[in-house]
Amino acid sequence: MFTALSRPLTLAITILLSGSAICLSATGQTQDLSKSASLKKASASALAVRSGESGLLVADPVYSYVQLGKGVAHNSSDVTAQYDETEVLHRGVAQRLPGESDTTFLKRVLPVSFPASSDLVTYAWRPSSFGKQLFFSVQGSGDNEYGRDLFVLDPYQANTYAVQVLTLESMGDATDLAALFFADVDHNGQKELLTLLECSLREPAFKKKGQQYYGRVAHYQTLVFQCIGLSSAGRPQYRLDATPRAYLDELPTAAAIRQALAQHQQKLPQPKTKAIK
């Protein structure tokens, strides 16, 4: 984890205790290095320390790094929660306890992201004897801060879930997930995951006395994800279906999208059937 202190230090010693980073400065003052404001993927393989104009940066050798706002202190439980979630995302696997409810399970294994979500969906997208898949989204991070991150937890063994994050890219400004649902888009007997995104974009509205005025216009985009079977490790895999579907553009509801899919199917050439003699 990277933490920026509020002022430069000429000397610092970093001690890692129970998942927390404590910084001891040359003046003898201590500061708890705490939870992040944003999560960015990195591959730090060794502890690294460097100083700069903004203060001291401390890297914890984990899969991801976290950068804190300057001068903000949090308690050690926040650090532990971030560390636990980072480890789950790094492994891509989460273990569920027997009898554990969906929300209790998600709060335990993803203690930072799940509490920030309000759109949990449970659905048997990929038929499995181990239970239904769990879906929820949060505001994106890193290069996708104006988009959404869609978490998918898929049971592939008893009480064992594959954990994946699907990127729902920004449409040009702050983008929301308006609907998440399932439909047989390709009409092959297997349902796809559909996400309906909504974004309000600033556009020219009218001119008055030679001055241009602007307004906000809602736009909609439908993304389709396919389940493409199991990896060599036996975990389910998904991918974005990039097939152009102009007939789904700017549709504002799941019902409108389902209707458009049905109408499109009716327009497709139907297989010829031989007459029975």
Side-chain angles (χ1 to χ4, degrees), residues 84 87-89 91-102 104-110 130 134 153-163 235:
D84 290 345
E87 285 295 296
V88 168
L89 294 175
R91 293 194 306 267
V93 175
Q95 298 293 329
R96 185 167 184 167
L97 301 178
E100 199 171 31
S101 69
D102 292 341
T104 301
F105 166 54
L106 292 171
K107 286 178 182 178
R108 180 175 59 81
V109 300
L110 298 169
F130 302 114
L134 308 176
L153 287 86
D154 193 336
Y156 66 101
Q157 294 177 1
N159 295 320
T160 305
Y161 287 70
V163 181
R235 301 178 189 174

Side-chain angles (χ1 to χ4, degrees), residues 205-231:
F206 61 90
K207 281 187 176 181
K208 186 176 182 179
K209 295 182 180 181
Q211 183 167 345
Q212 180 70 61
Y213 290 82
Y214 293 83
R216 289 275 176 175
V217 179
H219 289 273
Y220 300 89
Q221 180 184 24
T222 301
L223 299 181
V224 178
F225 291 89
Q226 299 173 323
C227 183
I228 56 173
L230 304 179
S231 69

Side-chain angles (χ1 to χ4, degrees), residues 61-73:
V62 294
Y63 167 74
S64 301
Y65 71 79
V66 185
Q67 184 169 8
L68 301 184
K70 297 179 181 179
V72 179

Side-chain angles (χ1 to χ4, degrees), residues 157-179:
Q157 294 177 1
N159 295 320
T160 305
Y161 287 70
V163 181
Q164 299 185 47
V165 182
L166 305 180
T167 300
L168 310 180
E169 293 186 356
S170 166
M171 297 170 60
D173 206 331
T175 300
D176 293 324
L177 178 61

Side-chain angles (χ1 to χ4, degrees), residues 17-41:
L17 295 173
S18 301
S20 301
I22 306 298
C23 179
L24 176 63
S25 72
T27 61
Q29 296 178 336
T30 63
Q31 181 170 355
D32 186 5
L33 307 184
S34 53
K35 179 188 172 186
S36 75
S38 63
L39 177 65
K40 297 182 180 179
K41 294 182 179 178

Side-chain angles (χ1 to χ4, degrees), residues 27-207:
T27 61
Q29 296 178 336
T30 63
Q31 181 170 355
D32 186 5
L33 307 184
S34 53
K35 179 188 172 186
S36 75
S38 63
L39 177 65
K40 297 182 180 179
K41 294 182 179 178
S43 56
S45 58
L47 189 67
V49 180
R50 65 182 179 86
S51 60
E53 293 181 357
S54 61
L56 180 72
L57 296 179
V58 181
D60 191 3
V62 294
Y63 167 74
S64 301
Y65 71 79
V66 185
Q67 184 169 8
L68 301 184
K70 297 179 181 179
V72 179
H74 300 267
N75 58 47
S76 60
S77 63
D78 292 332
V79 179
T80 301
Q82 183 66 75
Y83 181 83
D84 290 345
E85 178 163 319
T86 298
E87 285 295 296
V88 168
L89 294 175
H90 176 44
R91 293 194 306 267
V93 175
Q95 298 293 329
R96 185 167 184 167
L97 301 178
E100 199 171 31
S101 69
D102 292 341
T103 55
T104 301
F105 166 54
L106 292 171
K107 286 178 182 178
R108 180 175 59 81
V109 300
L110 298 169
V112 176
S113 295
F114 182 66
S117 175
S118 60
D119 56 4
L120 175 62
V121 173
T122 62
Y123 187 80
W125 176 24
R126 186 183 67 87
S128 168
S129 59
F130 302 114
K132 298 179 180 180
Q133 289 79 44
L134 308 176
F135 307 84
F136 71 88
S137 73
V138 296
Q139 180 181 343
S141 59
D143 294 336
N144 191 42
E145 63 178 329
Y146 293 108
R148 303 290 293 180
D149 288 339
L150 178 61
F151 285 73
V152 182
L153 287 86
D154 193 336
Y156 66 101
Q157 294 177 1
N159 295 320
T160 305
Y161 287 70
V163 181
Q164 299 185 47
V165 182
L166 305 180
T167 300
L168 310 180
E169 293 186 356
S170 166
M171 297 170 60
D173 206 331
T175 300
D176 293 324
L177 178 61
L180 183 153
F181 58 104
F182 304 85
D184 186 1
V185 176
D186 298 329
H187 308 287
N188 60 0
Q190 180 175 329
K191 290 184 177 181
E192 282 75 39
L193 165 64
L194 288 81
T195 60
L196 174 59
L197 305 181
E198 179 180 3
C199 180
S200 179
L201 296 177
R202 184 172 180 266
E203 297 182 0
F206 61 90
K207 281 187 176 181

